[in-house]
């Protein structure tokens, strides 16, 4: 098994607020890892440290054997290799659906407009948004925006996809359409790191589940183990709380 | 007021008014465009994230300090005084006589630049953080983020303020008569002086100024509405993408 991402002794604080403490974990190629945990436990910060939207305070992040915190390392090239899907979608408001999926390809990957549009169309079709290619973000529903956001990330042909609670800002009736797309992606063999509160999704799709609590990884294991037979008390408590909602 | 004099002045001197209005528009259009470009550049520089350490950090700080003093200075002094200082100052210090029109455009540009810099900065800051994050996450650096994502939105946000600057420039170029630029106010003064009909001449100028500013305001309002586009998306059934659609996709926008 080849590790794509390895996180070693990662720590992060905002001022006096220690948010991540000595995080160690790795993601291998083709693996789907779900990160669960109560809000404020540091899940988003962990994802954001991995793609350097936040600068870690200590430890190492290793991508395909290279230390990306090394000063010499090109942050921008590295980020192109990681697709990120945000809770708040963050589609580029000045571009239509197609433009959202092509701007990075054309400006960063230097693909021709034609090629970029062909790639974009492939993914927009995959997420079922081919009828809305010329729609601006404000003309789309939350679920549609999130599907375009997924297509935008995929259009860069990333090695890894990071999802930060992609369905948490959606109306309940739209959660399904986004999870369906994510499930298809997982089945296609894409490497995915998903922060989610959708326990059903995690149980069904994840190869591994990581439970975070108060800035540390409290427990990790297979979905069966975490959901049916957690060894830690706090995991059990968290699951009881979230499943009773 | 004598309507007779107004028509007489108009029929006799309409070319002078027209030329004056033309120069006024020329100075304010070019001044606003260049000023906006200056503002955009400064806005982008002033919103750059500060590097952690080293020479880059120091140079950015120095540049920012220089830009801040430029902004403070030009916003803090009247344009009429700047015009005198720059026009006669360059003549005295370097013994060059600036072309009056060039001097006028120069002064309006840097003056507008100082105002626009702050307007642009505000426009950039008002763009949602998520837009920056998404652009960074996809791999764009500061400049790429600005050009492809943030500035188009910031420009839309600051369009009303920019229109406002343009209107102010149309009116304020009148102060440039102190360096004898033949803009509308200067021409009106000549017409009035030739006939000793001050009220009528300036009444005509007043109307012309108003027509210019009113038209500009309307055009910009129209532009804003066009940039915003419709609120809802009408599904074009023909758009269900088939491979042959790729031909059409080649030339949208
Ligand atoms: N940019 C920031 N500045 C200061 N504190 C932050 C910032 N981002 C996150 N935090 C803090 O870090 C902690 C963990 O946040 P986060 O990683 O968003 O948790 P989660 O995603 O698990 O809900 C919270 O206490 C939050 O207030
Ligand atoms: Mg979060």
């Amino acid at each position: 098994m080849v590790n794509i991402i390895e996180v070693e002794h990662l720590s992060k604080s905002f001022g006096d607020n220690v948010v991540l403490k000595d995080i160690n974990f790795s993601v291998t190629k083709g693996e789907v890892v779900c990160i669960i945990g109560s809000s404020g436990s540091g899940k988003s910060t962990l994802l954001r440290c991995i793609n350097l939207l936040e600068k870690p305070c200590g430890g190492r992040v290793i991508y395909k054997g290279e230390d990306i915190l090394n000063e010499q390392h090109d942050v921008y090239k590295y980020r192109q290799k990681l697709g990120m899907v945000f809770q708040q979608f963050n589609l580029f408001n000045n571009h239509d659906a197609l433009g959202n999926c092509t701007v990075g390809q054309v400006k960063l990957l230097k693909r021709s407009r034609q090629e970029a549009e062909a790639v974009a169309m492939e993914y927009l079709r995959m997420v079922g948004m081919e009828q809305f290619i010329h729609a601006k973000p404000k003309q789309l529903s939350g679920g549609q925006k999130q599907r375009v956001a997924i297509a935008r990330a995929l259009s860069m042909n990333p090695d890894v996809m990071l999802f930060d609670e992609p369905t948490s800002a959606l109306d309940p009736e739209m959660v399904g359409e986004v999870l369906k797309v994510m499930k298809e992606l997982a089945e296609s063999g894409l490497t995915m790191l998903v922060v989610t509160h959708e326990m059903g999704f995690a149980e069904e799709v994840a190869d591994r589940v990581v439970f975070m609590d108060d800035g540390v990884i409290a427990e990790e294991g297979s979905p069966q183990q975490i959901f049916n037979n957690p060894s830690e008390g706090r995991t059990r408590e968290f699951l009881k709380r979230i499943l009773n909602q | 007021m004598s309507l007779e004099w107004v028509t007489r002045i108009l029929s006799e001197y309409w070319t002078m008014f027209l030329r004056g209005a033309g120069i006024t528009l020329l100075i304010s259009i070019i001044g606003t465009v260049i000023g906006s470009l200056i503002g955009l550049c400064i806005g982008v520089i002033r919103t750059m994230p500060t590097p952690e350490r080293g020479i880059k950090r120091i140079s950015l700080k120095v540049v920012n300090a220089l830009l801040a003093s430029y902004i403070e200075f030009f916003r803090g002094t009247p344009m009429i005084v700047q015009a005198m200082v720059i026009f006669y100052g360059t003549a005295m210090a370097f013994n060059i006589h600036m072309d009056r029109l060039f001097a006028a455009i120069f002064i309006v540009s840097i003056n507008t630049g100082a105002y626009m810099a702050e307007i642009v900065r505000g426009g950039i800051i008002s763009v949602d953080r998520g837009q920056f994050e998404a652009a960074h996450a996809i791999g764009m650096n500061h400049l790429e983020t600005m050009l492809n994502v943030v500035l188009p939105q910031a420009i839309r946000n600051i369009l009303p303020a920019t229109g406002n600057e343009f209107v102010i420039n149309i009116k304020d170029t009148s102060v440039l008569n102190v360096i004898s630029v033949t803009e509308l106010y200067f021409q009106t003064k000549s017409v009035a002086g030739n006939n000793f009909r001050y009220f009528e001449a300036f009444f005509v100028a007043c109307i012309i100024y108003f027509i210019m500013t009113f038209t500009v305001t309307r055009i910009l309002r129209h532009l804003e509405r066009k940039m915003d586009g419709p609120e809802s998306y009408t599904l074009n059934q023909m758009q269900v993408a088939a491979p042959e659609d790729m031909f059409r996709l080649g030339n949208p926008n």
Side-chain angles (χ1 to χ4, degrees), chain A residues 70-175:
Chain A
N70 189 313
E71 299 260 314
Q72 262 63 270
H73 203 276
D74 186 342
V75 183
Y76 304 106
K77 278 260 150 51
Y78 165 65
R79 290 204 188 113
Q80 293 170 15
K81 292 275 139 212
L82 307 186
M84 176 94 169
V85 176
F86 299 87
Q87 185 175 344
Q88 298 298 336
F89 330 123
N90 296 343
L91 285 185
F92 301 139
N93 292 324
N94 57 319
H95 290 283
D96 61 15
L98 186 65
N100 264 280
C101 299
T102 54
V103 62
Q105 296 186 66
V106 172
K107 303 290 176 185
L108 305 174
L109 304 181
K110 308 293 175 201
R111 289 180 184 158
S112 73
R113 176 151 290 281
Q114 230 132 1
E115 187 190 355
E117 280 175 354
V119 172
M121 281 310 298
E122 182 192 327
Y123 290 114
L124 284 167
R125 206 170 294 138
M126 193 190 118
V127 300
M129 287 299 292
E130 71 272 24
Q131 284 184 295
F132 296 88
I133 51 174
H134 293 308
K136 285 289 183 75
K138 67 171 180 184
Q139 300 168 324
L140 299 173
S141 73
Q144 291 174 327
K145 280 188 223 181
Q146 198 58 299
R147 284 187 281 148
V148 172
I150 292 172
R152 169 177 70 182
L154 291 173
S155 295
M156 298 292 285
N157 300 115
D159 290 333
V160 182
M161 284 283 283
L162 310 176
F163 293 84
D164 190 2
E165 297 193 32
T167 58
S168 294
L170 296 178
D171 293 334
E173 72 268 23
M174 293 174 183
V175 170

Side-chain angles (χ1 to χ4, degrees), chain B residues 35-51:
Chain B
S36 300
L37 291 177
I38 294 174
L40 281 176
C41 293
I42 296 181
V44 171
I45 295 171
R46 302 234 309 161
T47 52
M48 252 161 84
T50 337

Side-chain angles (χ1 to χ4, degrees), chain B residues 11-241:
Chain B
S11 63
E12 218 169 304
Y13 297 101
W14 65 273
T15 47
M16 274 182 82
F17 282 114
L18 206 62
R19 225 176 304 136
I23 298 286
T24 290
L25 266 186
L26 183 77
I27 296 171
S28 38
I29 288 177
I30 300 182
T32 308
V33 169
I34 297 181
S36 300
L37 291 177
I38 294 174
L40 281 176
C41 293
I42 296 181
V44 171
I45 295 171
R46 302 234 309 161
T47 52
M48 252 161 84
T50 337
E52 303 245 328
R53 54 179 116 55
I55 193 86
K56 274 192 188 156
R57 182 186 172 90
I58 297 165
S59 11
L60 187 66
K61 289 228 151 145
V62 171
V63 169
N64 272 333
L66 287 174
L67 293 176
S69 21
Y70 157 70
I71 293 167
E72 290 301 327
F73 182 78
F74 280 92
R75 292 207 309 180
T77 52
M79 191 159 80
I80 190 166
V81 177
Q82 294 162 15
M84 299 296 266
V85 169
I86 290 175
F87 187 69
Y88 293 105
T90 50
M92 223 168 70
F94 310 109
N95 216 5
I96 24 171
H97 279 275
M98 279 173 122
D99 176 68
R100 288 168 198 280
L101 183 62
F102 175 82
I105 291 174
F106 179 75
I107 288 153
V108 175
S109 298
I110 50 174
N111 208 281
T112 310
Y115 280 95
M116 287 304 297
E118 285 303 275
I119 293 174
V120 170
R121 199 163 73 99
I124 290 174
I125 291 171
S126 74
V127 172
D128 180 30
R129 277 299 325 152
Q131 300 286 304
F132 292 82
E133 301 225 311
H136 289 156
I138 217 171
M140 291 183 187
N141 59 29
H142 182 70
L143 188 64
E144 287 159 343
T145 301
M146 284 296 152
L147 293 178
N148 298 306
V149 178
V150 174
L151 284 186
Q153 297 179 50
I155 288 171
R156 167 61 194 92
N157 292 345
I158 64 170
L159 208 58
T162 310
N164 208 24
E165 277 300 308
F166 189 13
V167 167
I168 289 173
N169 280 343
I170 290 176
K171 296 187 293 178
D172 282 6
T173 45
S174 56
V175 306
L176 296 170
N177 79 86
V178 296
I179 56 168
S180 307
V181 186
T182 56
E183 43 67 52
L184 184 55
Y185 181 89
F186 185 88
Q187 297 285 58
T188 310
K189 225 170 50 173
S190 315
V191 173
N194 285 347
N195 304 281
F196 299 105
R197 303 305 302 193
Y198 285 88
F199 173 73
E200 288 81 358
F202 281 101
F203 181 72
V204 170
C206 193
I207 301 283
I208 298 176
Y209 273 118
F210 181 72
I211 291 174
M212 289 197 289
T213 55
F214 187 74
T215 314
V216 165
T217 315
R218 292 289 109 171
I219 292 174
L220 282 166
R221 195 66 31 85
H222 178 74
L223 201 68
E224 278 168 38
R225 231 172 295 139
K226 218 175 135 181
M227 276 176 92
D228 287 344
E231 284 296 322
S232 63
Y233 188 63
T234 37
L235 252 195
N236 178 356
Q237 289 304 323
M238 298 310 292
Q239 236 166 29
V240 177

Side-chain angles (χ1 to χ4, degrees), chain A residues 14 17 19-20 37-46 48 54 164-165 195:
Chain A
F14 294 103
N17 185 8
V19 175
L20 296 177
S38 41
S39 117
S41 57
K43 307 180 299 297
S44 299
T45 306
L46 175 58
R48 295 163 58 81
E54 299 290 355
D164 190 2
E165 297 193 32
V195 173

Side-chain angles (χ1 to χ4, degrees), chain A residues 34 36 196 198-209 223 227:
Chain A
C34 283
I36 60 173
T196 186
E198 296 290 334
M199 295 303 137
F201 175 84
E203 190 161 12
E204 190 186 343
V205 177
D207 298 309
R208 192 149 49 90
V209 176
F227 291 111

